[in-house]
Amino acid sequence: VQLVESGGGLVQAGGSLRLSCATSGFNFDDYAIGWFRQAPGKEREGVSCLGGTDGGTDYADSVKGRFTISTDNANKTVYLQMNSLKPEDTAVYYCAAEFTSSWCGLDSADFSSWGQGTQVTVSS
């Protein structure tokens, strides 16, 4: 299982970014994919997840209505569209994968494969 994030950067508050998670080495439909973030001095927190073919989606309350998770199945890529960004969204963002076809969760302990992360910085 390989996961490679990209798309991070520096953006002003109110702006948008789209993160990408390119996946390889596994059957895309059989895995849940999650987006997590970790700010300096804070614990890693779940942002959004997509549960294989039947697991649906979920979002942290702090990003509902602003962030959207989506997939390009042909290219086995998962996206996180982030709109109306706030300074408190500043963090390293990670994508993660876990073998399942009917589950989606925001607990990092439930995911076993991780990417290297991409930095998102939102200036005020």
Side-chain angles (χ1 to χ4, degrees):
V1 175
Q2 289 190 321
L3 306 164
V4 180
E5 303 96 333
S6 61
L10 173 64
V11 64
Q12 289 188 332
S16 299
L17 282 174
R18 188 178 77 162
L19 304 183
S20 300
C21 175
T23 74
S24 62
F26 60 97
N27 188 339
F28 195 62
D29 289 338
D30 292 336
Y31 278 69
I33 305 294
W35 281 101
F36 295 81
R37 67 186 181 187
Q38 189 165 20
K42 295 187 176 181
E43 293 186 353
R44 189 169 297 187
E45 65 170 338
V47 175
S48 181
C49 65
L50 179 68
T53 56
D54 301 318
T57 60
D58 198 8
Y59 296 90
D61 288 342
S62 58
V63 307
K64 281 181 181 175
R66 300 189 298 122
F67 290 11
T68 303
I69 192 169
S70 64
T71 62
D72 178 345
N73 290 339
N75 292 312
K76 300 181 69 175
T77 300
V78 180
Y79 301 102
L80 184 69
Q81 178 66 44
M82 306 187 296
N83 299 327
S84 302
L85 283 161
K86 305 174 181 180
E88 51 263 43
D89 294 318
T90 295
V92 177
Y93 283 71
Y94 301 88
C95 66
E98 184 60 32
F99 178 71
T100 179
S101 61
S102 59
W103 163 86
C104 173
L106 298 178
D107 187 343
S108 61
D110 292 327
F111 288 81
S112 57
S113 298
W114 292 82
Q116 83 288 349
T118 185
Q119 175 71 48
V120 171
T121 303
V122 184
S123 63
S124 58

